[in-house]
Amino acid sequence: MATLATSGLTLPNHLAKGLWSKVQTTAVIPRLSGQTAMMFGTTQIMTFTTKPKAEVVAEAASKSQSQPAFSTKNVVPRKVQVTQRFNEEVQWADEDYQLGVLAAMADAGGEALSRALDLIYYHGINPLTGAAIAGSPAKILDTANVVEVATANADEDIDTAVGLILADGFYSVTGIALDPTYAYSLATIRDDDSGRKRYPELGTGQNLTSFNGLDAAVSTTVSAPEATISGGAYESVNPNVKAILGDFRSAFRWGVQRQVPIEVIRFGDPDGSGDLKRQNQIALRLEVVYGAAIMDTNAFAVIEDAS
């Protein structure tokens, strides 16, 4: 079976489904915060700034008002795309010998779209360049709740970060995202007396799904190596993020405003690299439109390693 369908020059359906599965399983955000159905465009989400309080009322006594206060948060759409060029001969070889090249390109593009979700809303960067997104959109790293790695025991720093969020009195802590190196540090903490692992159920920490009652996920998007490239947002001052935790369930809303299409482009100059037909090339493009809103950065805390 050819990798590319002959009618319509589209990838077969099983690749499109596989792509969306990749987006769901690669990004950290979908594992910590449920997706919200969204229509395309800038929308608003209502949020409490002051919650109503109940009142104890004596018999025959008058009842008082407890007035909640609201504000809104804008959900701004972010279109993300991946365009990959390849020679026409690559497609021919892929069709004749079933090399799986185009399938691999689709998977790699899906992973890139997945990482973009975290990189945009955690770090506020353009994944391709590492540069800050124009307009300085709100990002989770804007939170004032920052814990510097202070001990050899990662769990103690996590406890400190949880305390910063709970001190606000408005949010709970539902999830934690960890860089793989920090997850390893957490999983390999040993008891001072016995030398045994404190959390043997974590293995090496790379496949965490929960920790101390929190939803957990591990990804390099937490430390964002994309942002440290030349000209990137962290090129001169790298915050060296090790973990991000907070109220992912209620304080972060996200959704896919448009499903992921896959397009094979044979004509024109879709990426500014020259005319495809003239250069005997084909382009594979994947796009998705995300929408997200951070309800309050105080609902999150960041653990950084200043060393």
Side-chain angles (χ1 to χ4, degrees), residues 174-207:
T174 64
I176 180 170
L178 304 102
D179 180 75
T181 60
Y182 201 65
Y184 177 76
S185 297
L186 178 64
T188 54
I189 296 173
R190 294 184 180 273
D191 185 80
D192 292 336
D193 296 326
S194 67
R196 295 176 179 175
K197 281 188 175 182
R198 190 175 299 175
Y199 306 103
E201 71 279 4
L202 301 184
T204 60
Q206 303 311 293
N207 297 304

Side-chain angles (χ1 to χ4, degrees), residues 1 22 60 129 132 136 148 188-189 206 264 280 287 290-291 302:
M1 178 179 177
K22 195 75 171 181
T129 63
S136 300
E148 297 289 351
T188 54
I189 296 173
Q206 303 311 293
V264 177
N280 191 41
E287 291 184 90
Y290 292 123
V302 174

Side-chain angles (χ1 to χ4, degrees), residues 199-216:
Y199 306 103
E201 71 279 4
L202 301 184
T204 60
Q206 303 311 293
N207 297 304
L208 288 182
T209 57
S210 65
F211 175 71
N212 278 357
L214 302 178
D215 295 333

Side-chain angles (χ1 to χ4, degrees), residues 265-279:
I265 306 172
R266 290 183 171 274
F267 303 97
D269 183 6
D271 55 5
S273 299
D275 183 76
L276 288 169
K277 205 66 177 175
R278 186 169 188 263
Q279 299 185 50

Side-chain angles (χ1 to χ4, degrees), residues 234-254:
Y234 303 154
E235 180 185 6
S236 58
V237 182
N238 182 4
N240 204 3
V241 178
K242 295 299 183 183
I244 301 169
L245 60 160
D247 193 345
F248 284 92
R249 294 178 188 171
S250 62
F252 188 89
R253 305 286 183 85
W254 76 280

